[in-house]
Amino acid sequence: MAHYIEQLQALFYGIESTEGTAVLGTATEALLVRDLKKPIPRDFHEREFVQAFGTRPGVVGAIQSAPFSFAAELKNRGVTNNVPELDELYKTVFGTRTLDTLNSTATGGTSTVITTASTAGLTVGNIIGVETTASSDVYEARRVTALTANTNITVSPALSFSPASGAALVGSLTFVIAETGHQSLSFQNYLNSTEYWQAVGCRGNFKIESEGAGKIPMGMWDMLGWSWSVNTGGTRPSSTFDTNAPPLASTCKWSVDTTLTDIVKFSFDLGNVVTPLTSQNSTLGVYKTPITNAKPRGSFTVHPESFGQITGWTAPTAFQLTGQWGNTLNNGVCINFPTCQRNPVAWGDDNGVGTNEVGFIANGGTAAVYLGFF
C-alpha cells in the first residue's frame, strides 16, 4: 500500500458556478498547505431486532457533511495588484472583496487627514498603505473612514506620523463580512497522479494565529462541504506555487486605539457558522451549506510593564484594534477591528513577567473586521 506524505500538500480549488457541482482546480488554482485533515464521514445504520441476538447487515446512509481543515501562511503575493494566492478563499469566507487601485503620493496632511491630488481608486472602509517617509518603502496601514473634496483622506486610527509631501499612498485588496452571497468552492487533493479526494459545495471559517516575535503568522481554514468522494481517472495539474516569503511577526505594528502596543501574541476567529441543510430528496443528504452567522472575536497578550495594566473590561469599555504584518509594498497584511469589547481578561505569566491575556469581541456586524493586503 502506498504511503502518502501529509505534512505539506497541494490543494486545488475550483469556483463553483452551481453550488455543489464539482469544478476541477487548474494549475493556477493550487495552494501549498500544511496540516491538511480530511475525515471521510458517512452514516452507517446498524439493524437490530427484538428477540434476536446480534445485528443484521447494516445500511450505508447519507453523507451529512464533509468537514476538513488546513493551514497556510498569512502573506501577500509580492507583486502588483495585491492579490494573495488565497484570494478566492478569503472571498469565500468573508463574502465581500474590493480591490482599490490608488497609487499616488501625499501632498501633506496630519496623522488623521492625508492630502493628495486625487482620491480616485480608493474606497471608504478599505485599508490604505501610507509610506512613513518618501521613497523609504516602509508603510503603515490604516482604515479609510472618509473621503472629502476628492483630495482629503481621513484614516483611523491615527498614524504614528504626519505624512510628508511625496510619501506614497497605495490602495489594498480588502475583505469585509457579507451577510449573503458567499461563493462556494470545490477542492481536490491528489493521492497520486490520477486518484484524488474531492469535496464539493464548500464554505467555511477562517482563523489567524500569530504566536510571537519572529514567527510566521498562519491562517487556519475550517471548511464544510456537501459531500466527499475519492475519484480515479483524473490528471494532477502541473502547478507552480507562490514563492513570496511571508512577513515575520517581528515586522508587526499593533495599535490599541491610537497607542502603539507591544503585543506578545495574537489570535483571531472570524466565527463563521456554516449550516448544512439536509433533504431526503438529496442523493447525498446535504443540498446547501450557507454561512448563517459570523461572530468575530480573538485575543492578544501584552506585558503590563510596557502597556499599563488593562482596566475597564467590566464596563465594558470599547476600543479599536489595528495590526499589520509586513511593512513593504506588496508584502503587507493589515487587520482592523473598529469596535471591540474586552471579554474576558486574565492575568498570566511569561517566564516570570506578568501578562494580561485579553479576549475581545469584535462588534459592528458586517463592519466588525477589515482584512487588507497592500
Side-chain angles (χ1 to χ4, degrees):
M1 176 180 290
H3 295 276
Y4 304 119
I5 298 175
E6 297 287 346
Q7 184 178 8
L8 288 173
Q9 294 216 26
L11 191 62
F12 295 85
Y13 69 89
I15 303 170
E16 297 176 346
S17 56
T18 301
E19 182 177 345
T21 300
V23 176
L24 292 177
T26 65
T28 59
E29 296 167 322
L31 310 170
L32 192 61
V33 304
R34 62 182 66 178
D35 301 326
L36 175 61
K37 299 178 177 64
K38 46 184 193 296
I40 47 176
R42 185 155 197 165
D43 289 352
F44 183 81
H45 304 291
E46 294 185 1
R47 299 171 62 230
E48 300 179 4
F49 299 94
V50 176
Q51 295 183 344
F53 260 45
T55 59
R56 298 297 183 266
V59 177
V60 174
I63 299 176
Q64 298 290 353
S65 62
F68 61 102
S69 62
F70 56 89
E73 295 170 339
L74 181 70
K75 63 178 183 176
N76 212 325
R77 200 159 197 164
V79 296
T80 55
N81 293 328
N82 304 312
V83 179
E85 188 175 52
L86 278 73
D87 173 47
E88 296 298 343
L89 273 71
Y90 294 119
K91 170 70 164 58
T92 300
V93 297
F94 279 89
T96 299
R97 169 183 61 194
T98 306
L99 176 61
D100 279 351
T101 57
L102 176 76
N103 187 359
S104 186
T105 57
T107 57
T110 67
S111 61
T112 57
V113 180
I114 307 161
T115 59
T116 184
S118 173
T119 60
L122 197 60
T123 306
V124 172
N126 284 5
I127 301 299
I128 183 175
V130 183
E131 197 174 29
T132 57
T133 305
S135 303
S136 66
D137 193 31
V138 176
Y139 288 79
E140 194 165 284
R142 290 294 185 262
R143 178 173 51 88
V144 177
T145 58
L147 300 174
T148 308
N150 200 36
T151 57
N152 293 348
I153 305 168
T154 304
V155 298
S156 183
L159 295 161
S160 62
F161 60 96
S162 294
S165 179
L169 306 174
V170 295
S172 71
L173 181 70
T174 300
F175 297 89
V176 183
I177 294 172
E179 292 185 354
T180 60
H182 300 85
Q183 66 186 14
S184 62
L185 302 175
S186 299
F187 286 90
Q188 297 86 36
N189 174 235
Y190 283 79
L191 308 177
N192 51 48
S193 60
T194 60
E195 185 181 10
Y196 61 95
W197 167 91
Q198 177 172 258
V200 299
C202 301
R203 295 186 175 93
N205 186 37
F206 173 63
K207 302 174 184 177
I208 295 174
E209 290 290 341
S210 186
E211 295 186 342
K215 302 290 182 66
I216 296 175
M218 297 296 297
M220 265 71 84
W221 305 83
D222 297 313
M223 308 300 293
L224 189 71
W226 286 22
S227 64
W228 60 269
S229 61
V230 176
N231 307 276
T232 58
T235 301
R236 187 184 192 278
S238 180
S239 54
T240 57
F241 301 101
D242 173 19
T243 58
N244 189 46
L248 296 178
S250 55
T251 59
C252 284
K253 182 172 283 190
W254 289 92
S255 298
V256 175
D257 289 324
T258 59
T259 303
L260 290 176
T261 305
D262 294 316
I263 283 183
V264 181
K265 57 184 177 180
F266 167 83
S267 65
F268 164 67
D269 185 346
L270 183 58
N272 277 354
V273 178
V274 184
T275 305
L277 304 182
T278 61
S279 170
Q280 294 187 35
N281 290 351
S282 171
T283 57
L284 298 172
V286 176
Y287 70 96
K288 201 173 184 63
T289 50
I291 294 175
T292 56
N293 203 351
K295 296 183 272 189
R297 60 197 61 219
S299 65
F300 60 90
T301 301
V302 295
H303 296 124
E305 284 75 10
S306 64
F307 181 67
Q309 189 69 39
I310 296 288
T311 60
W313 61 86
T314 57
T317 303
F319 66 99
Q320 181 172 198
L321 178 65
T322 305
Q324 71 179 69
W325 297 267
N327 56 16
T328 58
L329 184 60
N330 298 321
N331 283 287
V333 183
C334 175
I335 194 165
N336 172 260
F337 307 93
T339 307
C340 300
Q341 289 180 307
R342 302 178 178 104
N343 180 42
V345 176
W347 294 329
D349 177 87
D350 181 9
N351 294 315
V353 178
T355 61
N356 282 170
E357 298 169 4
V358 184
F360 67 88
I361 299 171
N363 299 321
T366 57
V369 56
Y370 299 82
L371 180 66
F373 296 81
F374 63 93

